[in-house]
C-alpha cells in the first residue's frame, strides 16, 4: 500500500493548469496502486505563515525550553514534515509565478527544511534524511523553459528538485504543461503535459 502526499500550490482553482496536471498524475498513480492512501496538502488553504523571528526561534529552542507559543509553532512544522516522512510518493504541483514557485510553496519549504528532520550536517557535509521516496513535479507555465532561450529563467523546477534533493529525494519525474500563454502552443499545452505522464 502506497502513501501518497499531494501538494497543491496554485492560488487559482477552476482554471489552474498545475492542478489539472497534478490531478492527472494522481489518477495515474492510483490506477497503478489502487489501494494507495492519499493525503492532500493544499497550501492555498490555511496559509503557511511567513517566517518571523518567533518562528525561527521556536525551531532552534530545545523542546524543554520552549514557550507554549513556540511549542505550537514547532508542532505545526513537525506536522508538515511528518507528512513528507510518511509518504512513499510525493506529487507537487509547482506552477511558474514570476520565474519561481508560488509564495505559498516557498513558505512551506521554510517549515520543512529543518536540520535533524529533513537533512543533517556532519563532517561529510549535508545529508538528506528522507529516503526511498518518489517525487513527481507537475509544472505549468506561460512560457517554455524545458528548451530554448528562457531555460536559464527557470527558478522553479531546478529549485524544487534541489530542495527535495537536499532532503534526500532524488528519484524525480517532471511533467510540464508549458507554453500556456503562447498562441499555437497554448491550445495543446495541457493535453501534451497530461499525455507525457508516465508512472514508473
Ligand atoms: C501572477 C502570475 C505570474 C506569472 N509569472 C509567470 C512567469 O514568470 N513565467 C511564465 O512563464 N508564466 C508566468 N505566469 C503564467 C503561469 O505560469 C501560468 O498561467 C500557469 O498556468 C500557472 O499555473 P496555474 O494555472 O496552476 O495557476 C504567471 C501567471 C500569474 C497569474
Amino acid at each position: 500500500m502506497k502513501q501518497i502526499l499531494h501538494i497543491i500550490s496554485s492560488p487559482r482553482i477552476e482554471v489552474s493548469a498545475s492542478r489539472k496536471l497534478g490531478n492527472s498524475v494522481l489518477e495515474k498513480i492510483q490506477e497503478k496502486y489502487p489501494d494507495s492512501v492519499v493525503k492532500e496538502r493544499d497550501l492555498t488553504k490555511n496559509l503557511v505563515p511567513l517566517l518571523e523571528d518567533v518562528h525561527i526561534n521556536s525551531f532552534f529552542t530545545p523542546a524543554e525550553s520552549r514557550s507554549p507559543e513556540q511549542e505550537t509553532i514547532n508542532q505545526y512544522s513537525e506536522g508538515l514534515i511528518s507528512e513528507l516522512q510518511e509518504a512513499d510518493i510525493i506529487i507537487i504541483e509547482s506552477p511558474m509565478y514570476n520565474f519561481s514557485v508560488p509564495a505559498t510553496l516557498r513558505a512551506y519549504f521554510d517549515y520543512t527544511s529543518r536540520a535533524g528532520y529533513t537533512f543533517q550536517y556532519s563532517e561529510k557535509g549535508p545529508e538528506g534524511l528522507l529516503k526511498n521516496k518518489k517525487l513527481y513535479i507537475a509544472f505549468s507555465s506561460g512560457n517554455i523553459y524545458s528548451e530554448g532561450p528562457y531555460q536559464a529563467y527557470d527558478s522553479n523546477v531546478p529549485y524544487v528538485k534541489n530542495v527535495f534533493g537536499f532532503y534526500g529525494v532524488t528519484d524525480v519525474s517532471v511533467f510540464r504543461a508549458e507554453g500556456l500563454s503562447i498562441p499555437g502552443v497554448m491550445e495543446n499545452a495541457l493535453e501534451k503535459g497530461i499525455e507525457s505522464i508516465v508512472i514508473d
Side-chain angles (χ1 to χ4, degrees), residues 26-141:
L26 177 60
E27 279 167 24
K28 295 202 175 164
I29 295 172
Q30 286 175 314
E31 277 168 24
K32 184 164 179 180
Y33 304 108
D35 62 346
S36 54
V37 175
V38 183
K39 166 79 192 172
E40 183 179 286
R41 170 58 59 184
D42 186 340
L43 297 173
T44 68
K45 293 179 184 155
N46 304 316
L47 295 182
V48 177
L50 292 182
L51 276 191
E52 295 176 55
D53 191 47
V54 64
H55 304 106
I56 299 171
N57 284 339
S58 77
F59 297 161
F60 291 100
T61 302
E64 62 278 9
S65 310
R66 282 184 203 126
S67 68
E69 184 188 21
Q70 288 176 328
E71 187 53 36
T72 302
I73 292 165
N74 188 65
Q75 281 177 12
Y76 174 67
S77 163
E78 286 184 347
L80 295 177
I81 291 168
S82 69
E83 292 175 356
L84 289 167
Q85 291 168 329
E86 286 161 16
D88 303 298
I89 299 171
I90 300 162
I91 305 166
I92 190 157
E93 297 173 1
S94 188
M96 178 72 95
Y97 278 83
N98 295 308
F99 305 113
S100 185
V101 296
T104 49
L105 183 52
R106 178 62 187 77
Y108 172 77
F109 289 142
D110 281 336
Y111 284 77
T112 56
S113 302
R114 290 185 63 190
Y117 292 89
T118 44
F119 67 91
Q120 66 185 11
Y121 279 103
S122 72
E123 296 76 18
K124 292 183 212 140
E127 180 198 359
L129 296 177
L130 300 183
K131 308 278 189 204
N132 303 317
K133 299 181 191 300
K134 172 77 195 190
L135 174 67
Y136 293 99
I137 301 175
F139 171 79
S140 60
S141 60

Side-chain angles (χ1 to χ4, degrees), residues 10 12 15-18 95-99 140-143 145 180:
S10 173
R12 306 203 293 181
V15 298
S16 165
S18 63
M96 178 72 95
Y97 278 83
N98 295 308
F99 305 113
S140 60
S141 60
N143 202 348
Y145 299 92
L180 286 159

